Amino acid sequence: MIDSLFDLSGKVALITGGGHGIGMAIAKAIAQAGAKVCVNGTSEEKLRKSKAEFAEEGIEVFTFAFDVSNEQSVDDGISKIEADVGSVDILVNNAGIIKRVPILDLPVADFKQVLDIDLVGPLIVSKRVAPAMIEKRAGKIINICSLMSVYGRYSVSAYAAAKGGLKLLTANMACEWAKYNLQINGIGPGYIATAQTAPIREGGHPFNDLVMARTPAGRWGTPEDIGYAALFLSSKASDFVNGHLLFVDGGITANFGYVAGENEVH
Ligand code: NAP
Ligand code: GCO
């Protein structure tokens, strides 16, 4: 009974930006539950390497290069998925970029680029796959949000604007599509050890100390931590969860800025 709740056999999943980091862990978890998994990224070359990495663990994935921020490119990519693999049952909008530049130094074009990929991208891809889900009266959409969906932080204005928008785009999709048996939810990863966070985690960077001190679990998250949450939101076990933002963050959003170990006074 419990196993069948998480069985994704017969489903087709698309994970944007699924070639490494968080997206790759999500793709692995969903593939291990039995779904046929399509992995998207920006370049054929990078995707070839990712496919080989999946294969090392015995996981076969289908790869499709397209730019999530370009409507034509998304339409071509999804049409190919539909022809080669099948119509998408589970969409994970994971592709994203970040620019860590203070507002006064950030060119407006760069601000717009982050919004295009991190916010407009999920809209474009969802808009392309939702009609078939609505017709089937079944579908799961998971939008990868952030702590920055609800908090600001120095130097990440475009990212915070995009991820804050994505939280409410998630809510709005649920309001429009829940009646067709689509579940649309967000995941808010805390600080996860991936290529995206390498510049603020490695080489004795002070941000590493901040993450370690403020995260009650006392560690960075792993991509797998997010993969298992995505599996829950892809499965029957979450059929009445809708428009929710699930933080998977080692407790950092529960903490009012206290430093772990130093504030255990009462
Ligand atoms: P990552 O390792 O940098 O991976 C980002 C992925 O997005 C890459 O596969 C990249 O593809 C893809 N991508 C970027 N622009 C794209 C575009 N225009 N079209 C298609 N794919 C595109 O980052 P990550 O840390 O795994 O993050 C994954 C998601 O989680 C992002 O949305 C990020 O904002 C979010 N997140 C991360 C953290 C964290 O602590 N790491 C925390 C909260 C939220 P290429 O490899 O081809 O460039
Ligand atoms: C940064 C940001 C965050 C985190 C993540 C937190 O890297 O500078 O503060 O982007 O990576 O999104 O949820």
Side-chain angles (χ1 to χ4, degrees), residues 153-200:
R153 119 162 165 77
Y154 185 76
S155 87
V156 295
S157 57
Y159 185 79
K163 295 292 188 178
L166 187 56
K167 173 185 187 289
L168 286 180
L169 180 62
T170 303
N172 213 91
M173 285 177 180
C175 290
E176 294 193 20
W177 299 335
K179 66 180 174 216
Y180 303 116
N181 194 33
L182 270 58
Q183 289 84 45
I184 304 94
N185 290 289
I187 293 177
Y191 286 100
I192 312 297
T194 66
Q196 193 201 71
T197 51
I200 55 170

Short mmCIF file of all heavy atoms in Angstrom, two decimals, residues 153-200:
data_model
loop_
_atom_site.label_atom_id
_atom_site.label_comp_id
_atom_site.label_asym_id
_atom_site.label_seq_id
_atom_site.Cartn_x
_atom_site.Cartn_y
_atom_site.Cartn_z
N ARG A 153 17.90 39.30 0.83
CA ARG A 153 19.26 39.22 1.37
C ARG A 153 20.14 40.11 0.52
O ARG A 153 19.84 40.34 -0.65
CB ARG A 153 19.72 37.76 1.42
CG ARG A 153 20.95 37.38 0.61
CD ARG A 153 21.54 36.05 1.08
NE ARG A 153 22.49 35.48 0.14
CZ ARG A 153 23.75 35.89 -0.02
NH1 ARG A 153 24.21 36.90 0.68
NH2 ARG A 153 24.54 35.29 -0.90
N TYR A 154 21.22 40.60 1.06
CA TYR A 154 22.12 41.50 0.35
C TYR A 154 22.54 40.90 -0.99
O TYR A 154 22.96 39.74 -1.03
CB TYR A 154 23.36 41.76 1.23
CG TYR A 154 24.30 42.78 0.65
CD1 TYR A 154 23.99 44.13 0.69
CD2 TYR A 154 25.47 42.38 0.02
CE1 TYR A 154 24.85 45.07 0.14
CE2 TYR A 154 26.34 43.30 -0.53
CZ TYR A 154 26.02 44.65 -0.47
OH TYR A 154 26.86 45.57 -1.02
N SER A 155 22.40 41.65 -2.04
CA SER A 155 22.96 41.35 -3.38
C SER A 155 22.20 40.39 -4.28
O SER A 155 22.67 40.11 -5.38
CB SER A 155 24.42 40.86 -3.27
OG SER A 155 24.48 39.46 -3.05
N VAL A 156 21.03 39.88 -3.86
CA VAL A 156 20.34 38.93 -4.75
C VAL A 156 18.94 39.43 -5.16
O VAL A 156 17.98 38.66 -5.23
CB VAL A 156 20.28 37.50 -4.14
CG1 VAL A 156 21.67 36.91 -4.00
CG2 VAL A 156 19.57 37.48 -2.78
N SER A 157 18.85 40.74 -5.48
CA SER A 157 17.53 41.35 -5.73
C SER A 157 16.75 40.67 -6.85
O SER A 157 15.55 40.39 -6.70
CB SER A 157 17.71 42.83 -6.08
OG SER A 157 18.57 42.97 -7.21
N ALA A 158 17.40 40.39 -7.97
CA ALA A 158 16.67 39.82 -9.11
C ALA A 158 16.19 38.41 -8.76
O ALA A 158 15.05 38.03 -9.05
CB ALA A 158 17.57 39.77 -10.34
N TYR A 159 17.07 37.66 -8.10
CA TYR A 159 16.74 36.28 -7.72
C TYR A 159 15.57 36.29 -6.73
O TYR A 159 14.61 35.51 -6.86
CB TYR A 159 17.99 35.66 -7.10
CG TYR A 159 17.91 34.21 -6.74
CD1 TYR A 159 18.05 33.22 -7.71
CD2 TYR A 159 17.73 33.80 -5.42
CE1 TYR A 159 18.01 31.87 -7.37
CE2 TYR A 159 17.70 32.46 -5.07
CZ TYR A 159 17.83 31.49 -6.06
OH TYR A 159 17.80 30.16 -5.71
N ALA A 160 15.62 37.18 -5.74
CA ALA A 160 14.54 37.24 -4.75
C ALA A 160 13.23 37.68 -5.40
O ALA A 160 12.16 37.13 -5.08
CB ALA A 160 14.93 38.19 -3.61
N ALA A 161 13.32 38.64 -6.32
CA ALA A 161 12.09 39.09 -7.01
C ALA A 161 11.50 37.93 -7.81
O ALA A 161 10.28 37.70 -7.81
CB ALA A 161 12.42 40.26 -7.93
N ALA A 162 12.37 37.16 -8.46
CA ALA A 162 11.89 36.04 -9.28
C ALA A 162 11.32 34.92 -8.41
O ALA A 162 10.23 34.41 -8.68
CB ALA A 162 13.03 35.50 -10.14
N LYS A 163 12.04 34.56 -7.36
CA LYS A 163 11.60 33.43 -6.53
C LYS A 163 10.37 33.82 -5.69
O LYS A 163 9.52 32.97 -5.39
CB LYS A 163 12.74 32.93 -5.64
CG LYS A 163 13.92 32.33 -6.43
CD LYS A 163 13.57 31.03 -7.14
CE LYS A 163 14.80 30.36 -7.73
NZ LYS A 163 14.49 29.08 -8.39
N GLY A 164 10.30 35.08 -5.28
CA GLY A 164 9.08 35.55 -4.59
C GLY A 164 7.90 35.47 -5.55
O GLY A 164 6.80 35.02 -5.19
N GLY A 165 8.12 35.87 -6.79
CA GLY A 165 7.07 35.78 -7.81
C GLY A 165 6.66 34.34 -8.05
O GLY A 165 5.48 34.03 -8.22
N LEU A 166 7.66 33.46 -8.05
CA LEU A 166 7.37 32.04 -8.34
C LEU A 166 6.48 31.42 -7.25
O LEU A 166 5.62 30.58 -7.53
CB LEU A 166 8.69 31.27 -8.48
CG LEU A 166 8.59 29.83 -8.96
CD1 LEU A 166 7.86 29.70 -10.29
CD2 LEU A 166 10.00 29.21 -9.08
N LYS A 167 6.69 31.86 -6.00
CA LYS A 167 5.84 31.36 -4.91
C LYS A 167 4.36 31.70 -5.21
O LYS A 167 3.48 30.86 -5.08
CB LYS A 167 6.26 32.01 -3.59
CG LYS A 167 5.36 31.72 -2.41
CD LYS A 167 5.82 32.52 -1.18
CE LYS A 167 5.07 32.16 0.07
NZ LYS A 167 3.68 32.62 0.08
N LEU A 168 4.10 32.93 -5.64
CA LEU A 168 2.71 33.33 -5.88
C LEU A 168 2.20 32.85 -7.23
O LEU A 168 0.99 32.64 -7.40
CB LEU A 168 2.56 34.84 -5.72
CG LEU A 168 2.61 35.26 -4.24
CD1 LEU A 168 2.46 36.77 -4.09
CD2 LEU A 168 1.53 34.56 -3.42
N LEU A 169 3.10 32.63 -8.19
CA LEU A 169 2.67 31.99 -9.44
C LEU A 169 2.18 30.57 -9.13
O LEU A 169 1.18 30.10 -9.68
CB LEU A 169 3.84 31.96 -10.45
CG LEU A 169 3.54 31.32 -11.80
CD1 LEU A 169 2.44 32.08 -12.56
CD2 LEU A 169 4.81 31.24 -12.66
N THR A 170 2.88 29.91 -8.20
CA THR A 170 2.49 28.56 -7.77
C THR A 170 1.07 28.60 -7.17
O THR A 170 0.21 27.78 -7.51
CB THR A 170 3.48 28.05 -6.69
OG1 THR A 170 4.80 28.08 -7.25
CG2 THR A 170 3.15 26.65 -6.24
N ALA A 171 0.84 29.57 -6.30
CA ALA A 171 -0.48 29.69 -5.67
C ALA A 171 -1.55 29.95 -6.73
O ALA A 171 -2.65 29.35 -6.72
CB ALA A 171 -0.46 30.84 -4.65
N ASN A 172 -1.21 30.81 -7.69
CA ASN A 172 -2.20 31.15 -8.70
C ASN A 172 -2.52 29.97 -9.62
O ASN A 172 -3.67 29.74 -10.00
CB ASN A 172 -1.71 32.34 -9.53
CG ASN A 172 -2.87 33.20 -9.97
OD1 ASN A 172 -3.24 34.13 -9.28
ND2 ASN A 172 -3.48 32.84 -11.08
N MET A 173 -1.47 29.20 -9.96
CA MET A 173 -1.71 28.00 -10.79
C MET A 173 -2.64 27.04 -10.06
O MET A 173 -3.54 26.44 -10.67
CB MET A 173 -0.38 27.28 -11.08
CG MET A 173 0.48 27.98 -12.11
SD MET A 173 2.05 27.04 -12.28
CE MET A 173 2.88 28.02 -13.53
N ALA A 174 -2.41 26.88 -8.74
CA ALA A 174 -3.27 25.98 -7.96
C ALA A 174 -4.72 26.48 -7.99
O ALA A 174 -5.66 25.69 -8.16
CB ALA A 174 -2.76 25.87 -6.53
N CYS A 175 -4.89 27.81 -7.85
CA CYS A 175 -6.26 28.36 -7.86
C CYS A 175 -6.96 28.10 -9.20
O CYS A 175 -8.17 27.89 -9.24
CB CYS A 175 -6.23 29.86 -7.57
SG CYS A 175 -5.78 30.22 -5.88
N GLU A 176 -6.19 28.13 -10.29
CA GLU A 176 -6.83 27.95 -11.60
C GLU A 176 -6.98 26.49 -12.00
O GLU A 176 -7.93 26.13 -12.71
CB GLU A 176 -6.01 28.70 -12.68
CG GLU A 176 -6.04 30.20 -12.47
CD GLU A 176 -5.52 31.00 -13.66
OE1 GLU A 176 -5.47 30.47 -14.78
OE2 GLU A 176 -5.16 32.18 -13.45
N TRP A 177 -6.03 25.62 -11.56
CA TRP A 177 -6.00 24.26 -12.14
C TRP A 177 -6.30 23.13 -11.15
O TRP A 177 -6.43 21.98 -11.58
CB TRP A 177 -4.61 24.00 -12.78
CG TRP A 177 -4.28 24.94 -13.91
CD1 TRP A 177 -5.17 25.60 -14.70
CD2 TRP A 177 -2.97 25.32 -14.38
NE1 TRP A 177 -4.50 26.37 -15.63
CE2 TRP A 177 -3.16 26.22 -15.46
CE3 TRP A 177 -1.67 24.98 -14.02
CZ2 TRP A 177 -2.09 26.78 -16.16
CZ3 TRP A 177 -0.61 25.54 -14.71
CH2 TRP A 177 -0.82 26.44 -15.77
N ALA A 178 -6.45 23.43 -9.86
CA ALA A 178 -6.70 22.35 -8.90
C ALA A 178 -7.99 21.60 -9.22
O ALA A 178 -8.10 20.39 -9.03
CB ALA A 178 -6.76 22.91 -7.49
N LYS A 179 -8.95 22.32 -9.75
CA LYS A 179 -10.26 21.67 -10.04
C LYS A 179 -10.15 20.61 -11.13
O LYS A 179 -11.05 19.78 -11.29
CB LYS A 179 -11.31 22.73 -10.41
CG LYS A 179 -11.03 23.45 -11.69
CD LYS A 179 -12.11 24.49 -11.98
CE LYS A 179 -11.72 25.30 -13.20
NZ LYS A 179 -12.09 26.69 -13.14
N TYR A 180 -9.07 20.64 -11.90
CA TYR A 180 -8.84 19.60 -12.93
C TYR A 180 -7.96 18.47 -12.40
O TYR A 180 -7.38 17.72 -13.16
CB TYR A 180 -8.18 20.21 -14.16
CG TYR A 180 -8.95 21.35 -14.76
CD1 TYR A 180 -8.42 22.64 -14.80
CD2 TYR A 180 -10.23 21.14 -15.32
CE1 TYR A 180 -9.13 23.69 -15.36
CE2 TYR A 180 -10.95 22.20 -15.87
CZ TYR A 180 -10.39 23.47 -15.88
OH TYR A 180 -11.10 24.51 -16.44
N ASN A 181 -7.82 18.39 -11.09
CA ASN A 181 -6.97 17.37 -10.45
C ASN A 181 -5.48 17.56 -10.77
O ASN A 181 -4.74 16.58 -10.89
CB ASN A 181 -7.43 15.94 -10.81
CG ASN A 181 -6.77 14.91 -9.90
OD1 ASN A 181 -6.50 15.19 -8.73
ND2 ASN A 181 -6.48 13.75 -10.43
N LEU A 182 -5.07 18.82 -10.92
CA LEU A 182 -3.64 19.11 -11.00
C LEU A 182 -3.20 19.58 -9.62
O LEU A 182 -3.94 20.34 -8.97
CB LEU A 182 -3.35 20.22 -12.02
CG LEU A 182 -3.08 19.78 -13.47
CD1 LEU A 182 -4.25 19.00 -14.04
CD2 LEU A 182 -2.81 21.01 -14.33
N GLN A 183 -2.04 19.12 -9.16
CA GLN A 183 -1.47 19.64 -7.92
C GLN A 183 -0.21 20.44 -8.28
O GLN A 183 0.67 19.92 -8.97
CB GLN A 183 -1.12 18.52 -6.94
CG GLN A 183 -2.34 17.84 -6.33
CD GLN A 183 -2.92 16.74 -7.21
OE1 GLN A 183 -2.18 15.92 -7.74
NE2 GLN A 183 -4.23 16.74 -7.40
N ILE A 184 -0.19 21.69 -7.84
CA ILE A 184 0.92 22.57 -8.16
C ILE A 184 1.49 23.07 -6.84
O ILE A 184 0.79 23.74 -6.06
CB ILE A 184 0.48 23.78 -9.02
CG1 ILE A 184 -0.21 23.30 -10.30
CG2 ILE A 184 1.69 24.64 -9.38
CD1 ILE A 184 -1.71 23.20 -10.22
N ASN A 185 2.73 22.71 -6.56
CA ASN A 185 3.35 23.09 -5.29
C ASN A 185 4.76 23.60 -5.52
O ASN A 185 5.34 23.40 -6.59
CB ASN A 185 3.37 21.88 -4.36
CG ASN A 185 1.97 21.50 -3.88
OD1 ASN A 185 1.37 22.22 -3.08
ND2 ASN A 185 1.43 20.41 -4.40
N GLY A 186 5.30 24.25 -4.48
CA GLY A 186 6.68 24.72 -4.54
C GLY A 186 7.52 24.00 -3.50
O GLY A 186 7.00 23.50 -2.51
N ILE A 187 8.82 23.94 -3.76
CA ILE A 187 9.77 23.50 -2.73
C ILE A 187 10.72 24.67 -2.49
O ILE A 187 11.23 25.27 -3.46
CB ILE A 187 10.57 22.26 -3.17
CG1 ILE A 187 9.65 21.05 -3.31
CG2 ILE A 187 11.70 21.95 -2.16
CD1 ILE A 187 10.33 19.78 -3.82
N GLY A 188 10.94 25.00 -1.22
CA GLY A 188 11.89 26.05 -0.87
C GLY A 188 13.13 25.40 -0.26
O GLY A 188 13.15 25.11 0.95
N PRO A 189 14.15 25.12 -1.09
CA PRO A 189 15.36 24.53 -0.51
C PRO A 189 16.06 25.54 0.40
O PRO A 189 16.06 26.74 0.12
CB PRO A 189 16.24 24.23 -1.74
CG PRO A 189 15.33 24.33 -2.93
CD PRO A 189 14.28 25.32 -2.55
N GLY A 190 16.62 25.06 1.49
CA GLY A 190 17.50 25.93 2.28
C GLY A 190 18.83 26.03 1.55
O GLY A 190 18.86 26.06 0.33
N TYR A 191 19.91 26.06 2.29
CA TYR A 191 21.22 26.14 1.62
C TYR A 191 21.71 24.74 1.29
O TYR A 191 21.95 23.93 2.17
CB TYR A 191 22.19 26.95 2.49
CG TYR A 191 21.83 28.41 2.39
CD1 TYR A 191 21.09 29.05 3.39
CD2 TYR A 191 22.15 29.13 1.25
CE1 TYR A 191 20.71 30.38 3.26
CE2 TYR A 191 21.76 30.45 1.10
CZ TYR A 191 21.05 31.07 2.10
OH TYR A 191 20.65 32.37 1.96
N ILE A 192 21.83 24.49 -0.01
CA ILE A 192 22.14 23.15 -0.52
C ILE A 192 23.51 23.20 -1.22
O ILE A 192 23.79 24.15 -1.97
CB ILE A 192 21.06 22.69 -1.55
CG1 ILE A 192 19.63 22.92 -1.00
CG2 ILE A 192 21.29 21.24 -1.96
CD1 ILE A 192 19.26 22.14 0.24
N ALA A 193 24.31 22.19 -0.95
CA ALA A 193 25.66 22.15 -1.54
C ALA A 193 25.61 21.74 -3.01
O ALA A 193 25.48 20.56 -3.33
CB ALA A 193 26.53 21.18 -0.75
N THR A 194 25.64 22.73 -3.90
CA THR A 194 25.65 22.49 -5.36
C THR A 194 26.61 23.49 -6.00
O THR A 194 27.16 24.37 -5.31
CB THR A 194 24.26 22.72 -5.99
OG1 THR A 194 23.94 24.11 -5.88
CG2 THR A 194 23.18 21.89 -5.33
N ALA A 195 26.73 23.40 -7.34
CA ALA A 195 27.59 24.35 -8.07
C ALA A 195 27.13 25.79 -7.84
O ALA A 195 27.93 26.72 -7.75
CB ALA A 195 27.55 24.01 -9.56
N GLN A 196 25.79 25.97 -7.72
CA GLN A 196 25.27 27.34 -7.57
C GLN A 196 25.77 28.00 -6.28
O GLN A 196 25.98 29.22 -6.24
CB GLN A 196 23.73 27.33 -7.58
CG GLN A 196 23.13 28.71 -7.73
CD GLN A 196 21.69 28.78 -7.24
OE1 GLN A 196 21.39 28.72 -6.05
NE2 GLN A 196 20.78 28.91 -8.19
N THR A 197 25.93 27.21 -5.23
CA THR A 197 26.34 27.79 -3.95
C THR A 197 27.85 27.62 -3.68
O THR A 197 28.34 28.10 -2.65
CB THR A 197 25.55 27.16 -2.77
OG1 THR A 197 25.62 25.74 -2.86
CG2 THR A 197 24.10 27.59 -2.77
N ALA A 198 28.57 27.00 -4.61
CA ALA A 198 30.02 26.82 -4.41
C ALA A 198 30.73 28.15 -4.13
O ALA A 198 31.57 28.22 -3.20
CB ALA A 198 30.64 26.09 -5.61
N PRO A 199 30.39 29.24 -4.86
CA PRO A 199 31.12 30.50 -4.61
C PRO A 199 30.93 31.08 -3.21
O PRO A 199 31.76 31.87 -2.75
CB PRO A 199 30.55 31.47 -5.67
CG PRO A 199 29.90 30.59 -6.70
CD PRO A 199 29.46 29.35 -6.00
N ILE A 200 29.83 30.72 -2.51
CA ILE A 200 29.61 31.26 -1.16
C ILE A 200 29.82 30.19 -0.08
O ILE A 200 29.55 30.43 1.09
CB ILE A 200 28.20 31.90 -1.01
CG1 ILE A 200 27.09 30.91 -1.40
CG2 ILE A 200 28.10 33.18 -1.83
CD1 ILE A 200 25.68 31.37 -1.05
#
